[in-house]
Amino acid sequence: MSRNKERYIELFWSTFQLSACTFGGGFVIIPLMRKKFVDQLHWIEEQEMMDLTAIAQSSPGAIAVNASILVGYHVAGIPGALLTVFGTVLPPLVIISVISMFYKAFRDNMIVNMAMTGMLAGVAAVICDVVLTMGKGILKQKRILPVLVLLASFVAVRFLEMNIILVIFICAVVGAADTFYRERRRGVRKE
């Protein structure tokens, strides 16, 4: 039981720290979660983290909360999911509450405005890192279909201005069909 308690504390504290130091939304917390849970703690494999990220992004709600639920559940079941959600939501709740009490002073403060501008540049860099990391994961598969889906999705969203929900749905259908087809071929080869 003591080992579970230590893991629960580590899970909560990790997500609490990540959430408290993450500015820029869910796309920023994903690489930090990957570094923490894949590289440092070795609780999740790289491919599993990619899968959890894809599920978190395609599910309704905040990406950071979705990812924390999935990571927490993967590591420690339902108690882990509850702890990671609480650890992820608590810091922004406190910070937003404090900011809302002093909103007028924050809004008009030149130093705060300059800091926010600087943080925006940092957030853009972190989002670029996420894109490159996820893109590298797709290219490592050495299969043409995921690369085509990646490129087609980019074109559909960026240039054709397609609804992102429709793009995600189409990608899910293509991915499911591809997996079904490959599993079926694998089963036929075994016979």
Side-chain angles (χ1 to χ4, degrees):
M1 184 67 175
S2 176
R3 190 162 189 228
N4 280 344
K5 185 178 178 183
E6 288 175 17
R7 182 168 267 206
Y8 290 152
I9 291 169
E10 179 74 25
L11 199 54
F12 171 80
W13 188 240
S14 294
T15 54
F16 182 88
Q17 288 175 318
L18 290 173
S19 183
C21 299
T22 302
F23 294 89
F27 289 111
V28 177
I29 202 169
I30 298 294
L32 299 175
M33 289 178 98
R34 186 178 83 46
K35 283 182 182 155
K36 183 68 172 181
F37 296 112
V38 175
D39 297 339
Q40 291 176 5
L41 297 173
H42 305 290
W43 287 352
I44 301 175
E45 297 294 321
E46 180 75 34
Q47 185 57 46
E48 290 172 322
M49 190 66 199
M50 294 287 288
D51 294 343
L52 295 176
T53 300
I55 294 168
Q57 289 173 329
S58 60
S59 300
I63 295 171
V65 175
N66 292 346
S68 69
I69 290 170
L70 293 167
V71 167
Y73 185 80
H74 183 78
V75 171
I78 291 174
L82 294 172
L83 285 169
T84 54
V85 166
F86 190 60
T88 301
V89 171
L90 188 60
L93 180 67
V94 170
I95 292 168
I96 297 281
S97 297
V98 170
I99 288 173
S100 69
M101 290 190 304
F102 303 104
Y103 175 70
K104 187 169 174 120
F106 277 116
R107 182 188 68 192
D108 297 334
N109 188 309
M110 185 177 70
I111 294 171
V112 171
N113 284 328
M114 288 189 305
M116 292 304 225
T117 301
M119 288 175 12
L120 184 61
V123 167
V126 172
I127 290 173
C128 287
D129 178 56
V130 172
V131 169
L132 294 174
T133 301
M134 291 183 75
K136 207 181 327 177
I138 290 170
L139 295 175
K140 280 183 182 177
Q141 294 179 13
K142 297 185 180 177
R143 296 184 45 240
I144 191 71
L145 184 63
V147 174
L148 291 175
V149 169
L150 172 85
L151 294 173
S153 298
F154 176 75
V155 168
V157 172
R158 177 73 176 125
F159 299 110
L160 304 178
E161 298 180 12
M162 279 183 70
N163 185 322
I164 190 70
I165 295 170
L166 179 61
V167 172
I168 289 171
F169 177 74
I170 292 169
C171 291
V173 169
V174 169
D178 179 52
T179 301
F180 177 77
Y181 173 73
R182 286 187 299 121
E183 290 298 317
R184 190 169 173 157
R185 276 187 54 199
R186 191 176 300 155
V188 169
R189 277 193 231 145
K190 286 182 181 179
E191 294 174 4

